[in-house]
Amino acid sequence: MKDVTKRGVFMQLERLNQILEEALKSIDECETSEDINVVRNKYLSKKSELMSLMSTLGGLSIEEKKELGQKLNQVKSEISKALEIKNQAILEKELNEKLQKEKIDITLPSKNFKSGAKNPFYIIRDEIIDIFLGMGYSLADGPEVEQDLYNFELLNIPQDHPARDMQDSFYINDKLLLRTHTSPVQARVMEKSEGKPIRIICPGKTYRRDDDDATHSHQFAQVEGLLIDKDINIGHLKATLELFLKKMFGEKREVRLVPSFFPFTEPSVEVNISCANCGGKGCPICKDTGWIEILGGGMVHPNVLKMNGYDPEVYSGFAFGIGIERVAMLRYGIDDIRKFYTNDVRFLHQFTKKI
Ligand code: DAH
């Protein structure tokens, strides 16, 4: 009986060697983590031959149990170890393959990238701002929903002035309206500056009850300018605007001041530049005059100074208002003001410098 058991143990040890050999071979042949799982299942799961041999240990003598038990454990741990090593190698291989497959070749040409473009309105607005900041002006701001007081009254625009007509202004109630120009910022800045010198520009939106067409828009934009100090005369205004216009339109353009009228300036001027299209000879763009009207300005009216806390005997100043779209249209030869607002990328792309 003992011999039989001994033989049985011997055979089982033999079998274990075979299992180990088979298992190691299968592990060696594994190519994927999936294969590893199949082999692990076959050799180490509860239903595996190895595990069923474990369950026979109970019926053996201590000595046999020890011999067979040790072998069983050794085979099990060798298989586990081999599986672990192979699994690591496979995972590493799989990762490398994945990295290789998903590698980005940054030298490949890119797909056609559709970029946005800066609206020419903003290109010109920023240029205007830059030129005046360069002359020592600072930026001022004011509300678009404005009081009648600032929009008209404090700018010496009397009750019966046509600019107050309901046809021209968007009124919200009898005291509030959408500002019709950026000039109310003059009054607001003077009020805040308490009699001290001023040098500001204010870029901003303005609104008028116009029917939209190629040259009119119910909403447009201006840059207001205001300088107040002692001993300021119209020569300063001319020099300032000449410098601005030559920077904006080129050194060759001539600038002239023509008498005009605004309630808030005295004297008032309209500023012209020589027509770039015909060089002053006359053409349809300048309506055969050789000159193009570009902005309005003048010496701040003594009434405006007084109403806003400045003594006209001590202080004088000049002011001007520039239409941003008008400057942009002339600079780029844009024939329709509505193009600034429709966001057609084919239009916008024409003005962005290619990098
Ligand atoms: N506010 C005027 C307009 O909208 C433009 C203007 C003219 C502004 C003369 C000024 C100025 O400051 O002095 O037409």
Side-chain angles (χ1 to χ4, degrees), residues 181 183 186 208 222 224 262 264-265 296-298 319-321:
H181 50 179
S183 302
Q186 288 189 27
R208 283 187 205 172
Q222 296 184 330
E224 192 74 16
F262 297 104
F264 32 90
T265 44
F320 53 86

Side-chain angles (χ1 to χ4, degrees), residues 84-273:
E84 198 44 48
I85 291 169
K86 184 71 182 190
N87 197 31
Q88 273 306 322
I90 286 173
L91 288 180
E92 215 165 287
K93 196 175 120 231
E94 283 175 351
L95 182 67
N96 280 335
E97 278 169 7
K98 206 167 163 201
L99 285 175
Q100 198 61 30
K101 217 163 58 197
E102 291 171 7
K103 198 166 105 178
I104 297 165
D105 183 352
I106 55 164
T107 64
L108 282 175
S110 66
K111 286 185 188 152
N112 198 2
F113 177 63
K114 295 212 171 32
S115 62
K118 196 167 175 178
N119 192 311
F121 169 86
Y122 287 110
I123 299 176
I124 293 300
R125 184 201 64 174
D126 293 350
E127 258 185 55
I128 298 173
I129 292 173
D130 276 355
I131 293 170
F132 282 101
L133 292 189
M135 288 194 247
Y137 285 71
S138 4
L139 287 172
D141 204 1
E144 285 172 32
V145 176
E146 186 54 283
Q147 294 174 39
D148 181 282
L149 177 71
Y150 291 100
N151 197 78
F152 295 128
E153 203 83 29
L154 293 172
L155 293 173
N156 199 34
I157 301 179
Q159 282 292 340
D160 53 0
H161 193 277
R164 279 176 168 257
D165 199 310
M166 289 291 284
Q167 303 252 313
D168 295 325
S169 314
F170 287 110
Y171 272 93
I172 288 160
N173 56 38
D174 56 356
K175 286 207 169 64
L176 280 179
L177 72 159
L178 297 184
R179 68 180 176 195
T180 55
H181 50 179
T182 43
S183 302
V185 179
Q186 288 189 27
R188 287 187 171 273
V189 172
M190 281 189 243
E191 185 181 56
K192 261 204 323 227
S193 304
E194 297 171 334
K196 293 193 192 73
I198 294 172
R199 201 188 307 181
I200 58 101
I201 53 162
C202 166
K205 286 182 191 155
T206 51
Y207 304 83
R208 283 187 205 172
R209 284 174 42 146
D210 264 332
D211 286 333
D212 292 0
D213 62 22
T215 51
H216 296 86
S217 168
H218 63 282
Q219 183 248 291
F220 55 104
Q222 296 184 330
V223 176
E224 192 74 16
L226 175 69
L227 185 144
I228 294 178
D229 211 327
K230 289 174 182 158
D231 301 323
I232 298 298
N233 61 53
I234 200 159
H236 296 119
L237 172 64
K238 183 166 190 270
T240 303
L241 294 177
E242 221 166 58
L243 200 132
F244 160 66
L245 290 168
K246 288 188 180 223
K247 272 190 194 265
M248 180 55 70
F249 293 102
E251 286 299 321
K252 294 212 181 82
R253 307 298 285 275
E254 280 176 61
V255 176
R256 72 172 188 186
L257 307 189
V258 180
S260 185
F261 173 79
F262 297 104
F264 32 90
T265 44
E266 182 57 38
S268 300
V269 293
E270 177 194 295
V271 183
N272 297 171
I273 51 165

